[in-house]
Amino acid sequence: MPTAVITGGTRGLGAAYAHHLAERGFNLVLVARDRPRLDAVAEQLGRRSGVIVEAIAADLTDPRERALVELRLTDPDRPVELLVNNAGTECPEVFGAAALDSLLYEVDLNIVALMCLTRAALPDMTARGRGAVINVASFAGYLPPGGCAYGASKAWVLTFTDTVAASLSGTGVRMLAVCAGRIRNEATSAPERSPLWLTPEQVVRSSMIDLAKGRTLSTPGWLYRGLVSVLESPRSALRLAAAAAGRGRERCARLPDS
């Protein structure tokens, strides 16, 4: 059975990925800070699905604890086929009023931890010629709420994924950024049929379809998909221009000397 590592895998979107992948026959490694909840979710999910569910209790902003997850990602005897970088946090205060510790924690979890885990996973995946990384970003990466640093951290996730995915062409390894909009959870009171709100299961299903199609960006929900297609237009045009220029240089390089 293939194995998937899911950070923030006990709640919300992370739990939805865990249930979806277990149903598809993946063994799971769930990562979260809350050891009692983590153990309970792992036991329940393993009993219900019949797959092997490992639990790693770790604060991913602590390099020593993050190293436990990095070691699991690089274990040659237990290869990981899929890494889901789902763990994230939001400092809601306006930047100038936010506590520095909260801002640093946001950057350490949303950016540093995601980068470190991806860096740990990719070499073994490319050596095997298969594997995938899903990075959970946010629509706030395109249109951030005024004054908060959260949107900037998610914009980094989008750009990072796009850049690294381009370097994986031909390796058999895929990378996908999930541009998630507003997601319902236990505490959400939202209109039942509002296109602004998506269920975790909708986001997971849409992103897994896009991953299978080889896409590098998944935007679940018709409303968000339409908005992102407009916002992505300039970048898409630049990509096409760069690709055309690259092909032109290749043709020139093949021309015989006169």
Side-chain angles (χ1 to χ4, degrees):
M1 286 185 177
T3 297
V5 173
I6 306 170
T7 66
T10 61
R11 301 175 187 270
L13 190 57
Y17 271 110
H19 284 280
H20 180 89
L21 292 168
E23 290 174 1
R24 292 182 54 178
F26 277 78
N27 291 327
L28 302 175
V29 181
L30 303 183
V31 182
R33 289 186 301 168
D34 186 340
R35 167 60 81 179
R37 182 180 178 87
L38 178 62
D39 289 340
V41 170
E43 181 183 0
Q44 180 186 46
L45 189 55
R47 191 182 327 114
R48 181 185 301 172
S49 64
V51 303
I52 297 171
V53 184
E54 303 173 51
I56 300 178
D59 179 349
L60 294 176
T61 67
D62 184 328
R64 293 168 298 180
E65 296 188 24
R66 187 171 63 236
L68 299 174
V69 186
E70 294 169 352
L71 283 173
R72 180 61 185 87
L73 287 166
T74 57
D75 187 340
D77 298 322
R78 297 181 297 165
V80 171
E81 297 290 328
L82 175 63
L83 167 62
V84 181
N85 282 312
N86 167 71
T89 189
E90 179 178 2
C91 178
E93 289 83 13
V94 173
F95 181 79
L100 182 59
D101 286 349
S102 296
L103 293 169
L104 290 173
Y105 187 85
E106 184 177 65
V107 169
D108 285 343
L109 185 57
N110 295 1
I111 295 177
V112 176
L114 183 147
M115 179 185 67
C116 290
L117 296 186
T118 302
R119 179 62 182 81
L122 284 182
D124 286 350
M125 288 182 179
T126 54
R128 293 193 306 270
R130 65 182 186 277
V133 177
I134 294 176
N135 294 325
V136 176
S138 170
F139 185 69
Y142 286 102
L143 292 175
C148 297
Y150 173 77
S153 72
K154 291 302 183 178
W156 184 91
V157 174
L158 291 166
T159 302
F160 171 76
T161 304
D162 188 47
T163 302
V164 177
S167 73
L168 297 173
S169 178
T171 66
V173 180
R174 295 161 292 163
M175 183 172 284
L176 177 78
V178 181
C179 182
R182 293 182 176 180
I183 301 176
R184 299 177 188 274
N185 56 42
E186 299 87 352
T188 300
S189 56
E192 276 297 319
R193 296 185 178 277
S194 171
L196 285 173
W197 291 93
L198 304 171
T199 67
E201 292 74 21
Q202 284 177 294
V203 175
V204 170
R205 285 195 301 269
S206 181
S207 66
M208 293 304 295
I209 290 170
D210 287 334
L211 181 68
K213 291 181 177 179
R215 293 172 176 161
T216 58
L217 179 64
S218 177
T219 310
W222 63 265
L223 177 60
Y224 294 107
R225 191 157 47 247
L227 290 170
V228 168
S229 67
V230 173
L231 295 169
E232 274 284 312
S233 295
R235 191 182 301 184
S236 299
L238 287 172
R239 285 196 197 99
L240 289 172
R247 286 194 294 270
R249 286 194 296 271
E250 290 171 6
R251 285 194 296 271
C252 289
R254 288 196 298 267
L255 290 174
D257 294 334
S258 56

